Amino acid sequence: MSPAQPARRRSDAVANRAALLDAAERVLLRDGPAVPLDLVAREAGVGIATLYRNFADREELYAAVVHRSYELVAGLAQEAEDSAAPPLDALAGFLHGLLAERHHVALPLLGAPGPLSADEADPLGSRISRSLTAVLKRGVGDGSIRPDATAADLVVTGAMLAHAQLPPDAWGRAARRIAALVLEGLRARPDTVPLPDGLTGTELDRVMTRGAGEAAAH
């Protein structure tokens, strides 16, 4: 076996795994979690044996899809935190980034199966919340953002915008407008009316992680 053959096999394996995750995203968001796994394999252009070499079962495959979505959102939130732009512009970048990547956003808030366990979701969920809170805090400090906006508000907004409710072109236009309205609503004003109660960060974590109902019951 030549030295190039193991490298090519590793490259093929990485490509196959990525293709399976992409296909699972499409099937999950289009048809729901109950579709046969051989449909996912066919859509990825691989055999069912290749799917099972990468993922032990449906739960592991969809958990990987959800985990990759968390990573994407965490990366966009980190970009907003690191941005030198005014806070509202940084948050606009976060929401527009989610819209641009909406085909890769399969989160429990969008009906994805198998929410991450508390261990899997953390530290990704904490990273998202921490980054968005930092941007909000910066905006409250410079007087540009209302003080009662929360990271949970932004996560829920982003998830809703990423979940297309209309044909793609129409939803792109409508969602950009909704994002602009939300961003305008974040702007601090002398006559700002207090917001109604929303989800706390802890409550959002419970929605996004497996076993929340059991934890709440105890």
Side-chain angles (χ1 to χ4, degrees):
M1 184 182 295
S2 70
Q5 286 178 313
R8 177 167 183 175
R9 287 182 180 176
R10 287 194 296 273
S11 176
D12 289 345
V14 169
N16 286 340
R17 182 180 175 86
L20 284 163
L21 288 173
D22 288 344
E25 282 176 350
R26 292 192 298 272
V27 169
L28 170 62
L29 295 175
R30 184 186 69 214
D31 302 324
V35 296
L37 289 184
D38 59 352
L39 176 60
V40 176
R42 287 201 303 272
E43 187 140 342
V46 302
I48 190 67
T50 298
L51 186 152
Y52 281 116
R53 277 198 297 272
N54 283 273
F55 305 101
D57 51 28
R58 180 189 308 272
E59 184 176 62
E60 185 174 309
L61 170 61
Y62 285 152
V65 170
V66 173
H67 184 81
R68 190 165 71 162
S69 292
Y70 270 87
E71 288 183 322
L72 186 156
V73 177
L76 291 171
Q78 186 67 56
E79 287 179 16
E81 181 181 4
D82 294 342
S83 174
L88 277 172
D89 290 345
L91 293 178
F94 171 73
L95 293 180
H96 293 159
L98 281 176
L99 282 173
E101 298 289 347
R102 64 183 180 273
H103 301 301
H104 297 296
V105 179
L107 296 174
L109 285 178
L110 305 185
L116 296 180
S117 70
D119 289 341
E120 292 170 317
D122 188 58
L124 288 175
S126 296
R127 279 175 49 197
I128 295 166
S129 179
R130 186 171 60 248
S131 291
L132 295 176
T133 297
V135 181
L136 290 170
K137 184 176 180 180
R138 196 159 69 235
V140 172
D142 69 14
S144 63
I145 292 180
R146 59 186 303 151
D148 53 355
T150 69
D153 296 330
L154 291 166
V155 171
V156 173
T157 297
M160 292 171 66
L161 292 176
H163 188 35
Q165 305 290 332
L166 298 167
D169 290 344
W171 183 244
R173 291 172 55 201
R176 284 192 295 273
R177 182 180 175 88
I178 293 167
L181 287 169
V182 169
L183 291 163
E184 190 61 27
L186 288 172
R187 193 180 302 277
R189 293 179 176 82
D191 58 348
T192 296
V193 176
L195 292 168
D197 291 340
L199 289 176
T200 66
T202 300
E203 288 170 332
L204 183 61
D205 287 343
R206 287 176 181 167
V207 172
M208 299 282 279
T209 57
R210 183 183 296 128
E214 293 88 331
H218 298 291

